[in-house]
Amino acid sequence: MEKKHIFWASDSTVKTNDFTTYPQTGIGQAMPLFLAKNVIVHNHSENGRSTKSFIDESRLATIYNELRKDDFFFIQFGHNDGKKEDEARFTEPYGEYQSNLEKYINVARNRKAYPVLITPLCRRWFLDANTLEKDIHGAYPEAMKDLAKKLNVPIIDLYEMSRSFIEKAGDAKSKEYFVEWDNTHLRYPGAVVFADMIAYGLYQLGSPYKELLNEAYNDKKRI
């Protein structure tokens, strides 16, 4: 069976971890649970990166050199672009953030690969037992969605799916999905839950994206 390849550019919410950061687990680690056996994930995600710092460290250039025709390129940023105190990472949502995302999209299209935009995972920031803060990632999710529409790029709205799930779970229950030291990084159960949401997003996009999934996924009960 011919191999299919997913390349992933993102931050610590997606990064592949090892024993040194246990129990922290990235979504990219859990994603193969939902994929067909012939799909390989190349997870280039790294802690603390924004669209800007990822490019400045030549990480996007590395992906460009590795991408091939008909590969898939998952582009998922927003957590660190909003850090105004850090010039190395900060971007304006309707400015450099969108411009940078377009560079990622162009990398995929120049290589005749399939770009997929993914809005950032919602942080677990509760105002009370059952209510999340309103604009946890500011304008970044909407800026990504607007760009996807403008450039006709498939998008998976992980932010809205994860926000709905976390808020429904509530403050106490949702703690089991995140590491104990903050409200952003995931434990294994959280990585699985949110990887499932991305898988469902691929399923909804139809061909050729849903063909990345395990054939049994069509019959899976949705979260």
Side-chain angles (χ1 to χ4, degrees), residues 84-150:
K84 291 186 177 181
E85 72 283 0
D86 189 344
E87 292 183 2
R89 294 187 286 181
F90 176 68
T91 63
E92 291 287 354
Y94 283 94
E96 191 177 6
Y97 179 67
Q98 285 190 325
S99 297
N100 287 343
L101 288 175
E102 189 165 358
K103 293 176 183 177
Y104 290 78
I105 293 164
N106 288 337
V107 161
R109 288 178 166 170
N110 287 342
R111 286 301 200 182
K112 295 182 170 29
Y114 299 99
V116 179
L117 293 173
I118 304 173
T119 55
L121 174 72
C122 183
R123 297 183 193 270
R124 188 186 156 277
W125 285 354
F126 278 88
L127 295 172
D128 56 42
N130 298 296
T131 309
L132 287 170
E133 289 191 20
K134 184 178 180 182
D135 296 315
I136 288 176
H137 285 301
Y140 293 93
E142 287 302 317
M144 181 181 281
K145 286 188 279 188
D146 288 347
L147 184 69
K149 183 176 181 180
K150 175 184 176 182

Side-chain angles (χ1 to χ4, degrees), residues 12-30:
S12 56
T13 61
V14 176
K15 180 186 176 179
T16 297
N17 291 264
D18 59 25
F19 75 95
T20 63
T21 49
Y22 180 84
Q24 185 174 321
T25 310
I27 295 171
Q29 288 177 258

Side-chain angles (χ1 to χ4, degrees), residues 148-222:
K149 183 176 181 180
K150 175 184 176 182
L151 300 181
N152 193 28
V153 177
I155 188 167
I156 296 172
D157 196 353
L158 178 62
Y159 174 73
E160 286 298 334
M161 286 190 285
S162 59
R163 181 184 175 88
S164 177
F165 177 85
I166 293 167
E167 194 160 44
K168 184 177 180 181
D171 186 19
K173 174 68 175 176
S174 62
K175 288 180 180 178
E176 69 184 60
Y177 302 109
F178 292 80
V179 294
E180 62 272 17
W181 59 84
D182 69 18
N183 297 309
T184 298
H185 300 97
L186 303 171
R187 295 174 63 247
Y188 183 74
V192 172
V193 164
F194 301 123
D196 189 5
M197 292 178 187
I198 292 175
Y200 185 52
L202 294 170
Y203 175 79
Q204 289 182 307
L205 288 176
S207 297
Y209 309 96
K210 70 176 184 179
E211 278 75 38
L212 293 169
L213 301 172
N214 185 303
E215 61 182 11
Y217 195 81
N218 290 359
D219 301 322
K220 182 185 177 300
K221 183 179 179 181
R222 307 296 171 213

Side-chain angles (χ1 to χ4, degrees), residues 9 44 50 52-60 63 77 104:
H44 288 260
S50 69
K52 180 179 180 179
S53 60
F54 197 94
I55 292 171
D56 289 345
E57 295 171 0
S58 298
R59 296 177 186 275
L60 181 58
I63 293 173
F77 288 99
Y104 290 78

